[in-house]
């Protein structure tokens, strides 16, 4: 109602939509359609502008559909695959499957088809493997296998061109608990973390994507904290990354990410966001963070 008939009331949009669950937002969209025969998301898109519009638009999409849109934009606009690696690593097997279904429904082709078309080399194999993974989610680990695969990864780090396939096989097929055991074994055997070992060449896209995948698979809260920290500390805030993390995690694990952020930066995420943003966009993010000023 806040966008129908008498101009846009941004404060009402923040106070209503910023405090509604996914189920409630769905009901609001349906009620708007029933009353005005108009798609609320499209109406909001046409009435709002800038970062505020982008944040509200993404918030109003169903979660799986939102990730499908983010993946498509990442490929179409920037060939930046980190967003796809992010959810392919952090999400559960069923969550990831649902994103792939949403992508298929929205774009009439599969996510892996688009990845195979747009990416190349080992990066393509890694992306397709991550996006199509359906991992075992139990807690069992095989300690002998963890040590064996830590050795394999050590060889692969030294020569990722020749041993890239082994890296891809291990990272895209093993359960998260098994991978954690493997990476812990790597640290014990070789004295440093595998992500540090992969840090050698920032221009190496394959290694950079591997590092993103490993962090998402094993330390999701720390991973998201770093994305937020980089977004806020960047010269000229990275609003896109800021919006993405807050909107996609608000109904999942934002509480833990906020705790991680405070632990790492000695300032609350809400304070940092309030300092670096302004206007309706700032109000909306603070509403999602549960800390309006």
């Amino acid at each position: 109602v806040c966008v129908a008939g008498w101009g846009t009331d941004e404060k009402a949009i923040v106070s209503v939509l910023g405090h509604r669950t996914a189920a409630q937002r769905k009901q609001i969209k349906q009620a708007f359609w029933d009353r005005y025969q108009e798609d609320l998301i499209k109406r909001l898109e046409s009435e709002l502008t800038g970062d505020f519009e982008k944040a509200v638009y993404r918030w109003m999409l169903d979660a799986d559909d939102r990730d499908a849109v983010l993946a498509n934009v990442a490929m179409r606009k920037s060939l930046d695959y980190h967003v796809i690696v992010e959810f392919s690593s952090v999400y559960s097997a069923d969550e990831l499957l649902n994103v792939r279904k949403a992508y298929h429904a929205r774009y009439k082709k599969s996510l892996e088809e688009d990845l195979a078309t747009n990416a190349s080399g080992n990066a393509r194999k890694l992306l397709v493997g991550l996006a199509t993974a359906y991992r075992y989610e139990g807690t069992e680990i095989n300690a002998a296998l963890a040590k064996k695969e830590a050795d394999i990864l050590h060889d692969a780090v030294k020569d990722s061109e020749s041993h890239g396939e082994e890296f891809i096989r291990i990272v895209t097929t093993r359960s998260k608990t098994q991978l954690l055991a493997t990476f812990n074994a790597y640290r014990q055997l070789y004295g440093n973390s595998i992500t540090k070992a992969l840090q050698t060449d920032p221009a190496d896209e394959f290694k950079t994507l591997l590092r993103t995948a490993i962090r998402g698979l094993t330390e999701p809260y720390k991973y998201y904290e770093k994305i937020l920290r980089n977004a806020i500390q960047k010269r000229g805030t990275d609003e896109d990354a800021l919006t993405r993390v807050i909107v996609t995690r608000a109904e999942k694990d934002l509480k833990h990410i906020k705790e991680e952020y405070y632990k790492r930066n000695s300032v609350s995420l809400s304070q940092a966001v309030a300092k670096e943003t302004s206007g309706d966009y700032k109000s909306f993010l603070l509403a999602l963070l549960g800390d309006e000023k």
Side-chain angles (χ1 to χ4, degrees):
V1 176
C2 22
V3 292
W6 61 84
T8 312
D9 183 348
E10 284 86 355
K11 285 187 172 48
I13 289 169
V14 172
S15 71
V16 174
L17 300 182
H19 299 90
R20 296 297 178 271
T21 64
Q24 289 168 331
R25 298 196 300 279
K26 206 166 190 165
Q27 289 174 335
I28 291 168
K29 284 186 281 187
Q30 186 59 52
F32 193 88
W33 176 262
D34 292 344
R35 185 161 180 185
Y36 301 107
Q37 277 69 61
E38 193 179 357
D39 183 323
L40 177 56
I41 293 179
K42 284 189 176 154
R43 184 60 186 269
L44 287 164
E45 262 191 298
S46 69
E47 295 281 346
L48 307 177
T49 57
D51 296 314
F52 181 47
E53 179 268 316
K54 196 181 278 186
V56 172
Y57 169 75
R58 289 180 177 175
W59 179 241
M60 290 303 290
L61 289 171
D62 293 343
D64 303 326
D65 202 27
R66 177 198 301 143
D67 288 315
V69 169
L70 287 168
N72 187 260
V73 167
M75 274 187 279
R76 209 162 30 85
K77 285 196 176 168
S78 57
L79 291 183
D80 176 6
Y81 300 111
H82 287 82
V83 174
I84 297 158
V85 174
E86 184 176 292
F87 65 69
S88 298
S89 308
V90 172
Y91 287 10
S92 70
D94 284 335
E95 282 175 328
L96 182 53
L97 184 61
N98 288 337
V99 174
R100 286 172 59 208
K101 285 179 182 172
Y103 194 97
H104 195 277
R106 185 177 261 265
Y107 298 109
K108 308 299 178 256
K109 51 190 165 175
S110 68
L111 174 59
E112 53 271 29
E113 185 185 345
D114 272 353
L115 285 168
T117 304
N118 286 294
S120 60
N122 279 335
R124 170 165 61 199
K125 291 174 192 166
L126 176 66
L127 286 159
V128 172
L130 286 169
T132 54
Y134 195 85
R135 297 174 197 276
Y136 168 68
E137 292 183 338
T139 55
E140 290 83 356
I141 59 161
N142 180 330
L145 181 67
K147 281 188 177 167
K148 182 185 166 192
E149 292 194 330
D151 286 334
I152 291 170
L153 291 178
H154 186 247
D155 291 338
V157 166
K158 286 187 289 187
D159 185 3
S160 66
E161 278 306 306
S162 305
H163 297 279
E165 300 274 353
E166 289 286 51
F167 236 127
I168 293 161
R169 175 185 66 78
I170 292 165
V171 169
T172 61
T173 61
R174 298 297 181 218
S175 72
K176 292 181 182 182
T177 44
Q178 182 65 35
L179 284 171
L180 200 53
T182 300
F183 301 144
N184 285 339
Y186 186 99
R187 187 191 287 271
Q188 284 162 3
L189 289 166
Y190 300 107
N192 70 338
S193 71
I194 191 151
T195 47
K196 278 230 167 66
L198 285 166
Q199 229 167 353
T200 47
D201 181 7
D204 187 328
E205 183 184 42
F206 176 54
K207 284 187 177 179
T208 306
L209 292 174
L210 271 174
R211 288 181 66 234
T212 301
I214 290 165
R215 298 201 72 204
L217 285 160
T218 58
E219 300 179 314
Y221 305 147
K222 285 185 179 176
Y223 168 78
Y224 282 123
E225 183 281 323
K226 190 172 184 187
I227 295 289
L228 289 167
R229 175 164 32 99
N230 289 345
I232 287 164
Q233 290 176 359
K234 204 173 178 182
R235 190 185 176 93
T237 309
D238 183 351
E239 286 85 359
D240 212 48
L242 193 59
T243 300
R244 182 180 85 248
V245 176
I246 293 174
V247 167
T248 59
R249 309 316 295 174
E251 294 178 288
K252 292 180 177 174
D253 52 12
L254 193 54
K255 178 176 177 283
H256 299 297
I257 296 164
K258 283 162 69 176
E259 286 166 2
E260 192 65 44
Y261 191 91
Y262 186 78
K263 197 161 75 182
R264 177 71 172 70
N265 302 284
S266 303
V267 63
S268 75
L269 180 56
S270 296
Q271 282 175 294
V273 167
K275 193 177 167 196
E276 294 299 325
T277 57
S278 60
D280 299 313
Y281 175 59
K282 167 181 163 178
S283 302
F284 192 66
L285 291 187
L286 291 177
L288 299 190
L289 286 163
D291 191 11
E292 286 138 299
K293 293 283 180 284

